Amino acid sequence: MPPLRSMLLLLALCMAALGQARQLRIYGYVTDSDNRGIELANVYVQSSADDPAAINGTTTNRNGYYELLLPQTDTVPLVFSMIGYTTVVQRLIMPQEVTNINVQLLTDEQWLGEVEVRGIRRQEGTMDRIDAATTRVMPDATGGSIESLLITFAGVNQNNELSSQYNVRGGSFDENEVYVNGIEVHRPLLIRSGQQEGLSFVNPLMVDNVEFSAGGFDACYGDKMASVLDITYKRPTRFEASLNASLLGAGAYVGHGDSTFSQMHGIRYKTSAYMLGSLATSGNYQPNYVDYQTFLTWRLTPRWHMSFLGNVSQNDYRFIPDSLSESFGGQNAKQLSIWYEGQEKDRFTTAFGALSAQGAVSREVSLGFDLSGFYTNERETYDITGEYVLSDKPADGSNPTVSLSGETIGGNEQSEIQALGTGVYHQHARNLLQAGVITLAHHGDWTRGHNSLRWGVSARAELISDHISEWEWRDSAGYSLPHGSERPELYYSMRGDTAMHSARVQAYVQNTHRWTTDRGQLILTVGGRLNWWSYTNEVLPSPRASLTYNPGWKRDVSFRLATGLYYQAPFYKELRDTLTDDLGVTRIRLNDNLRAQRSVHVVLGGDYYFRAWGRPFKLTAEAYYKYIDRMVSYTVDNVRVRYSGRNDSEGHASGLDLKLYGELVPGADSWINFSVMSAKQHLLGSDTWVSSPQEQRYSFSMLFQDYLPQLPQLKFHLKMQFADGQPFFYPRQKELTGRMPMYKRIDLGATYVFNARTAKFMRSPAAKHIKQWAVQFEVFNLVDWKNVNSYFWVSDAYGNQWGSPNYLTGRRYNLKITIDLK
């Protein structure tokens, strides 16, 4: 694509022109005698008075990588030092413009203290750590979210770039648990499409640590069956701030702290109107999403501190559709044309607050207490009329439009076609939901020697009020569908006024013990959970265990095994059972006999840590098996999950996830994932096994980061996803219809960073409060593939249904500017 290459080249030239002329770039790795990277080693020029914080000094990252940008000079005396190791001085004579220096530091025998060597973090259980900083530079059509980083991990899939929802190893969106600072967070319940969704709860600029598990997680994590995302917000110790703006929105963050008090504030605004403009349905899209988040911490005593986490968000989505003209099918392709009237107006307002106190009562025991609340007020309203014409697509490939009268508009003279069916439909909804959740929790841990005991207990009150009124009427060729009676009938109708007041009590205890011998290290974690819910009066015991073995071999490997019995106690959405009366109206009732879904996990995995081309890598493999009974069957339409409200099925899932993580390019983390899986289910009383709604039999994802060796401040980021298409169903039925086409997507980003090391003007007094600023150019859906997210079904007078694909966004360009202050 010459235009794209030209734009990237022009961007590079413009950015380079603003940077500093002719510099030395010296980079490499600092390792120990076991060839492991040493973190936080000092690398500096000797003439800088042994000050590693000076502008010509740096420290190594967790992999032992360092990089220096220096003014051009004839001689560079380079010093490598670290407490506990002997210091190495290398004098570079007439260095080249780009020089690679790898240094090995030997342990200083006179150093009597322990030396901790770090590199790629060793995984000691089923939780894997994620570098949240990658979200700042990774191309992301949602505008920047932690969830967009998750989908590049093995076993995690997503089929909608407009949504932050993801499915893990065949599970649904609702089977994923999310914690922030140890507190469970919730999402709106009425969301049915990625267009409505807006911002993810987690603000990436406020994140300190991210851990994720795709199965077999410990008892300290809640009662979901698929995955756990555990996020910890940072506590700044000095002033820091960041501003960003792009075609997808804007944001601001400020943080400050000292020894007694720290605070963070973040505000985000997002609009997806630009992205939605590439959809097949033309119209006036007006999506506006905004949220404010704060995290405050007070140190009350040397041992105790208190914190408050607060969030307020509002999603406004308004859509006035105009028309759609789309072709679908293979050799017998069809053309669908629709003209719309009406509009959709949705508003989702949520608020969240959590007050926490944590402290140590002794050197071995620490305690914590949390009081949190969540409130959501959701309103979904639409009245949309569509008049459609279904016809054969001409063999010459033209795209004529057929009017309601059957007249061909546009196309070639030889492309005259006849309408296969015409019709009118009207969709109506007035859905209102209010929900509140209040939780009081206590947790603690006791550590002595190689043993650690954790426990926790919580009580939660849930209040939900829901009003649903939605229906659809269709008329095809003069008939109201379905037809056959003497009076017109609605094609679909659902009504309900329900309320639920309930209490939930949860408790867990788990113990971790470590054995270390000459043969290696063994880590055993055993625990269990109890969950009681007043609405169903069901007590759920959940035993879990994991074992990690790090053998004392020359090759750096580790093995782990995890198993457990996992329950997913129903929340409001799963409880909604339906009954259809003689008039064809489906009414909602809450099924108080519904039992929690139950799953057995077995996960066997291992990691192999190695260095290739002098750079660190980690190869991970995990095989898993999940058996699920008492399942509540469901169907998926876009991101809406519709449950049957009954324990009517059972299923199983198994697969293999492979991941290669490391520095394909020195100093830049990249990873490659490949997964294969099988997820099947069947209705009770039936011997026919079918694919689960979220089964994707294979997937490949990759995040690759690169830079120009002589211009390292210009970085490139490539994100790729290829995954098997998901199964789909006839609307509001459980009958499996087929499988969507494969999901394919490539996003590309280029970022140029200006700071005091890379740009001379950044050292001027005018820029003294700017730490760095970056210009990022992104190309979403680089190849402009047409991915299918769901189907729109139209009918003819005989009741035959035709599925027209709802395509996701096409190629889009984005420009983003980020300024970090100090």
Side-chain angles (χ1 to χ4, degrees):
M1 284 165 287
L4 176 60
R5 287 199 299 265
S6 299
M7 294 174 68
L8 292 175
L9 180 59
L10 180 60
L11 176 67
L13 292 175
C14 292
M15 296 300 102
L18 294 174
Q20 181 177 357
R22 200 162 181 80
Q23 290 182 316
L24 290 178
R25 176 174 173 255
I26 304 173
Y27 72 96
Y29 293 88
V30 180
T31 59
D32 63 4
S33 57
D34 293 325
N35 210 24
R36 291 185 177 182
I38 301 176
E39 184 179 12
L40 299 178
N42 297 317
V43 184
Y44 57 96
V45 179
Q46 199 169 35
S47 58
S48 61
D50 292 350
D51 183 7
I55 199 170
N56 52 353
T58 187
T59 57
T60 57
N61 68 9
R62 66 183 183 281
N63 296 327
Y65 177 80
Y66 74 92
E67 181 178 301
L68 283 172
L69 294 177
L70 306 172
Q72 190 80 294
T73 183
D74 294 337
T75 304
V76 179
L78 209 55
V79 181
F80 302 83
S81 67
M82 178 66 180
I83 295 177
Y85 295 89
T86 57
T87 299
V88 173
V89 179
Q90 289 216 5
R91 187 173 299 273
L92 308 182
I93 307 298
M94 300 297 294
Q96 298 180 359
E97 191 171 342
V98 178
T99 302
N100 174 226
I101 300 293
N102 297 324
V103 172
Q104 186 177 87
L105 299 184
L106 301 179
T107 304
D108 189 348
E109 296 180 356
Q110 296 180 354
W111 180 259
L112 300 180
E114 293 185 357
V115 177
E116 181 181 2
V117 179
R118 301 180 184 178
I120 296 179
R121 179 178 179 267
R122 269 52 181 170
Q123 188 172 335
E124 296 184 349
T126 58
M127 300 295 290
D128 193 9
R129 183 169 294 181
I130 303 170
D131 186 2
T134 308
T135 60
R136 301 195 66 183
V137 296
M138 185 177 66
D140 179 18
T142 65
S145 66
I146 293 294
E147 291 83 357
S148 66
L149 183 60
L150 289 181
I151 62 176
T152 61
F153 276 70
V156 183
N157 289 305
Q158 183 190 58
N159 277 1
N160 190 338
E161 63 272 7
L162 296 173
S163 170
S164 61
Q165 297 305 304
Y166 54 94
N167 56 80
V168 179
R169 293 176 175 173
S172 74
F173 309 134
D174 298 325
E175 295 177 22
N176 303 315
E177 191 97 53
V178 179
Y179 290 92
V180 175
N181 292 345
I183 300 170
E184 182 182 358
V185 298
H186 304 269
R187 60 186 291 266
L189 299 174
L190 290 183
I191 294 291
R192 60 184 172 84
S193 69
Q195 292 92 310
Q196 298 172 313
E197 189 171 310
L199 291 159
S200 163
F201 177 90
V202 182
N203 188 332
L205 295 178
M206 302 174 71
V207 171
D208 178 46
N209 183 56
V210 181
E211 293 188 329
F212 178 76
S213 173
F217 37 89
D218 292 337
C220 61
Y221 296 109
D223 298 286
K224 293 292 180 75
M225 296 192 304
S227 73
V228 167
L229 177 61
D230 189 7
I231 294 170
T232 305
Y233 276 6
K234 58 187 177 182
R235 295 171 181 172
T237 58
R238 60 178 64 88
F239 175 81
E240 57 186 39
S242 181
L243 307 171
N244 66 80
S246 74
L247 298 178
L248 304 181
Y253 157 80
V254 62
H256 182 265
D258 53 31
S259 59
T260 59
F261 176 71
S262 68
Q263 59 179 320
M264 291 194 300
H265 306 272
I267 185 169
R268 295 178 293 170
Y269 168 74
K270 175 185 173 182
T271 174
S272 55
Y274 172 65
M275 295 296 298
L276 297 177
S278 65
L279 298 179
T281 302
S282 62
N284 183 10
Y285 293 91
Q286 300 178 25
N288 293 286
Y289 320 109
V290 63
D291 89 330
Y292 165 75
Q293 203 159 147
T294 184
F295 181 50
L296 312 174
T297 60
W298 301 266
R299 183 167 293 278
L300 305 177
T301 69
R303 288 189 173 186
W304 284 86
H305 70 269
M306 180 176 291
S307 64
F308 173 76
L309 173 64
N311 172 268
V312 178
S313 68
Q314 182 167 292
N315 295 355
D316 283 314
Y317 177 73
R318 184 180 182 186
F319 175 44
I320 304 175
D322 180 46
S323 63
L324 176 144
S325 181
E326 192 64 75
S327 59
F328 60 94
Q331 294 181 347
N332 298 318
K334 301 295 185 289
Q335 179 84 19
L336 178 66
S337 301
I338 306 178
W339 296 265
Y340 298 100
E341 289 185 359
Q343 66 175 342
E344 176 178 355
K345 294 179 66 176
D346 307 322
R347 171 168 288 186
F348 305 90
T349 302
T350 62
F352 173 85
L355 185 65
S356 303
Q358 295 183 7
V361 297
S362 69
R363 298 184 62 179
E364 298 178 339
V365 179
S366 62
L367 304 176
F369 303 90
D370 304 313
L371 175 63
S372 63
F374 169 77
Y375 171 77
T376 180
N377 188 341
E378 306 172 27
R379 181 182 181 91
E380 180 185 48
T381 64
Y382 55 82
D383 271 292
I384 297 177
T385 299
E387 302 179 68
Y388 68 85
V389 175
L390 182 67
S391 59
D392 285 316
K393 183 176 176 62
D396 60 11
S398 60
N399 290 289
T401 300
V402 182
S403 67
L404 292 173
S405 62
E407 177 186 356
T408 302
I409 303 173
N412 302 325
E413 295 180 359
Q414 292 79 17
S415 62
E416 183 103 4
I417 55 176
Q418 296 296 323
L420 297 176
T422 62
V424 180
Y425 68 89
H426 186 97
Q427 296 175 333
H428 166 94
R430 295 292 185 272
N431 299 330
L432 307 174
L433 183 142
Q434 289 183 308
V437 178
I438 300 175
T439 305
L440 178 63
H442 160 67
H443 56 88
D445 63 80
W446 172 75
T447 302
R448 172 176 290 180
H450 299 288
N451 198 80
S452 176
L453 179 68
R454 297 180 63 181
W455 68 88
V457 61
S458 66
R460 188 165 81 182
E462 304 163 345
L463 301 91
I464 299 176
S465 175
D466 186 20
H467 168 79
I468 292 180
S469 175
E470 58 183 53
W471 51 262
E472 181 177 351
W473 169 81
R474 292 193 180 189
D475 187 312
S476 178
Y479 294 94
S480 177
L481 296 177
H483 61 82
S485 62
E486 295 181 356
R487 57 178 176 77
E489 298 182 16
L490 292 175
Y491 176 73
Y492 158 75
S493 177
M494 179 176 288
R495 298 179 184 275
D497 281 288
T498 55
M500 185 186 77
H501 303 144
S502 62
R504 198 183 302 261
V505 177
Q506 302 177 71
Y508 73 87
V509 60
Q510 74 176 42
N511 187 78
T512 300
H513 192 84
R514 300 166 183 263
W515 293 270
T516 303
T517 67
D518 294 338
R519 296 184 177 182
Q521 183 186 53
L522 196 66
I523 305 172
L524 175 64
T525 300
V526 178
R529 291 185 67 87
L530 279 177
N531 185 313
W532 172 78
W533 193 29
S534 64
Y535 197 84
T536 59
N537 198 31
E538 188 178 18
V539 178
L540 307 173
S542 175
R544 307 175 189 181
S546 66
L547 180 67
T548 301
Y549 176 51
N550 299 313
W553 300 346
K554 185 175 182 180
R555 293 187 180 275
D556 199 349
V557 298
S558 65
F559 304 96
R560 57 184 171 273
L561 173 67
T563 186
L565 179 63
Y566 294 80
Y567 286 92
Q568 179 153 332
F571 197 51
Y572 176 72
K573 289 170 63 176
E574 295 96 318
L575 287 174
R576 296 199 303 191
D577 195 2
T578 56
L579 292 173
T580 303
D581 60 24
D582 295 337
L583 299 176
V585 177
T586 300
R587 300 190 181 276
I588 293 177
R589 69 178 182 90
L590 299 184
N591 182 6
D592 56 5
N593 292 317
L594 190 71
R595 293 296 174 252
Q597 300 180 85
R598 181 170 56 189
S599 175
V600 176
H601 289 198
V602 179
V603 180
L604 177 63
D607 302 316
Y608 172 41
Y609 303 87
F610 63 98
R611 299 186 78 89
W613 309 290
R615 302 191 288 273
F617 289 90
K618 172 186 172 183
L619 177 63
T620 298
E622 279 195 353
Y624 61 90
Y625 175 79
K626 298 191 292 185
Y627 170 76
I628 310 136
D629 67 349
R630 310 202 303 191
M631 283 181 63
V632 182
S633 63
Y634 65 91
T635 58
V636 180
D637 183 16
N638 204 304
V639 298
R640 171 180 279 183
V641 180
R642 286 186 177 272
Y643 293 94
S644 67
R646 304 180 183 92
N647 299 112
D648 56 3
S649 59
E650 65 176 344
H652 61 81
S654 58
L656 176 66
D657 296 332
L658 301 173
K659 176 181 176 181
L660 177 64
Y661 173 86
E663 298 185 3
L664 298 177
V665 175
D669 292 335
S670 300
W671 54 85
I672 302 172
N673 306 294
F674 179 73
S675 300
V676 292
M677 70 167 300
S678 173
K680 305 297 181 184
Q681 67 180 42
H682 77 96
L683 295 176
L684 299 181
S686 170
D687 294 329
T688 303
W689 289 82
V690 299
S691 297
S692 298
Q694 300 284 13
E695 181 195 49
Q696 291 179 277
R697 296 166 297 185
Y698 59 87
S699 65
F700 170 85
S701 62
M702 177 179 181
L703 179 64
F704 176 68
Q705 301 189 80
D706 197 1
Y707 53 84
L708 298 180
Q710 297 183 347
L711 196 65
Q713 56 267 40
L714 177 60
K715 303 179 184 297
F716 298 93
H717 319 276
L718 179 69
K719 184 173 73 172
M720 303 173 59
Q721 290 177 264
F722 298 90
D724 186 28
Q726 289 180 311
F728 65 90
F729 301 77
Y730 279 122
R732 306 174 187 93
Q733 297 184 23
K734 299 178 183 178
E735 180 183 351
L736 182 66
T737 302
R739 191 174 288 272
M740 299 179 192
M742 182 173 69
Y743 184 84
K744 302 176 294 184
R745 186 174 181 88
I746 299 177
D747 296 331
L748 177 66
T751 305
Y752 194 97
V753 179
F754 299 91
N755 55 39
R757 293 193 306 160
T758 62
K760 189 174 182 179
F761 71 90
M762 288 290 293
R763 303 172 199 165
S764 65
K768 64 180 181 179
H769 295 300
I770 299 178
K771 180 180 179 180
Q772 69 175 26
W773 65 284
V775 178
Q776 185 171 355
F777 178 71
E778 299 173 316
V779 185
F780 303 131
N781 197 356
L782 179 66
V783 190
D784 201 23
W785 280 313
K786 300 178 71 173
N787 290 306
V788 178
N789 175 250
S790 59
Y791 287 88
F792 176 76
W793 297 88
V794 295
S795 307
D796 59 23
Y798 303 100
N800 298 319
Q801 295 200 63
W802 304 82
S804 175
N806 292 320
Y807 293 109
L808 290 167
T809 57
R811 184 189 299 125
R812 276 291 191 256
Y813 304 97
N814 185 41
L815 184 65
K816 181 178 180 180
I817 298 176
T818 303
I819 302 176
D820 294 333
L821 305 177
K822 60 182 178 179

